[in-house]
Amino acid sequence: MSNYKASRTEESDKILSIFAQNLKKCRIAKGISQEQLALTAGISRSYYTEIETGKRNISLLNLVKLMTVLEVDANFLSDFEEK
Amino acid sequence: MSNYKASRTEESDKILSIFAQNLKKCRIAKGISQEQLALTAGISRSYYTEIETGKRNISLLNLVKLMTVLEVDANFLSDFEEK
């Protein structure tokens, strides 16, 4: 835990990247475009694109909005720790 | 979905409140104080207090930090939709 901060940037990038991949898979499985997902969830398209490309940290409330539209539970977050 | 935005504040408050309760339960089950959890996760104590009282939206990266320290998976987020 002591070196957690030291590797924070690299670790953060990895987490956001894995999340982005999981999110994209869920969206494609649902058969909808980035724009459709963003619109239905009530978030901006540009914000969504940054999320799905791993460039931006997402908030819990926006995460729940996306999960609701995608009809997924939080299990799709569970891959974080091992990869 | 059309009235999602209209009820966003109330809905958001509910989500943050449920999350806060789940988080507190996990922390207490782990037997650590707010301060210990915040310190170990590398986030500020005041920020953590706002999260655990449902006053603040948490980011994915901070959520993952807390989940790592608490040794819980994302299932503890899954209660959102029904309550």
Side-chain angles (χ1 to χ4, degrees):
Chain A
M1 196 61 63
S2 61
N3 61 357
Y4 194 90
K5 280 187 176 180
S7 61
R8 206 180 81 177
T9 303
E10 190 186 329
E11 183 69 20
S12 297
D13 286 349
K14 194 174 79 175
I15 289 167
L16 293 183
S17 170
I18 293 168
F19 173 73
Q21 289 167 44
N22 291 348
L23 180 60
K24 185 173 185 176
K25 275 184 209 161
C26 292
R27 178 181 61 74
I28 293 191
K30 185 82 176 167
I32 56 176
S33 68
Q34 288 190 8
E35 188 157 18
Q36 285 172 312
L37 175 50
L39 274 171
T40 313
I43 64 179
S44 86
R45 164 68 192 271
S46 60
Y47 173 83
Y48 181 78
T49 299
E50 288 186 295
I51 299 296
E52 204 191 271
T53 50
K55 289 176 186 151
R56 189 159 176 167
N57 196 1
I58 190 172
S59 73
L60 176 63
L61 291 175
N62 285 326
L63 175 60
V64 172
K65 287 180 195 172
L66 293 176
M67 283 164 53
T68 303
V69 177
L70 292 171
E71 297 176 291
V72 294
D73 64 24
N75 287 321
F76 89 108
L77 291 173
S78 297
D79 289 331
F80 283 154
E81 288 142 30
E82 297 307 319
K83 285 177 186 168
Chain B
M1 196 61 64
S2 61
N3 62 356
Y4 195 91
K5 280 187 174 179
S7 62
R8 207 180 83 177
T9 303
E10 191 186 328
E11 183 69 19
S12 296
D13 286 349
K14 195 174 79 174
I15 289 168
L16 293 182
S17 171
I18 294 168
F19 173 73
Q21 289 168 42
N22 291 347
L23 180 61
K24 185 173 184 176
K25 275 184 209 161
C26 291
R27 178 181 61 76
I28 293 192
K30 186 81 177 167
I32 57 176
S33 68
Q34 289 192 6
E35 187 156 19
Q36 285 172 311
L37 175 50
L39 273 171
T40 314
I43 64 179
S44 86
R45 164 68 192 271
S46 60
Y47 173 83
Y48 181 79
T49 300
E50 288 186 295
I51 299 294
E52 204 189 270
T53 49
K55 289 177 186 151
R56 190 160 174 166
N57 196 1
I58 190 171
S59 74
L60 177 63
L61 291 175
N62 284 327
L63 175 60
V64 172
K65 287 180 194 172
L66 293 176
M67 283 164 53
T68 303
V69 177
L70 292 171
E71 296 177 291
V72 293
D73 63 25
N75 287 321
F76 90 106
L77 291 173
S78 297
D79 289 331
F80 282 155
E81 288 143 30
E82 297 307 320
K83 286 176 187 168

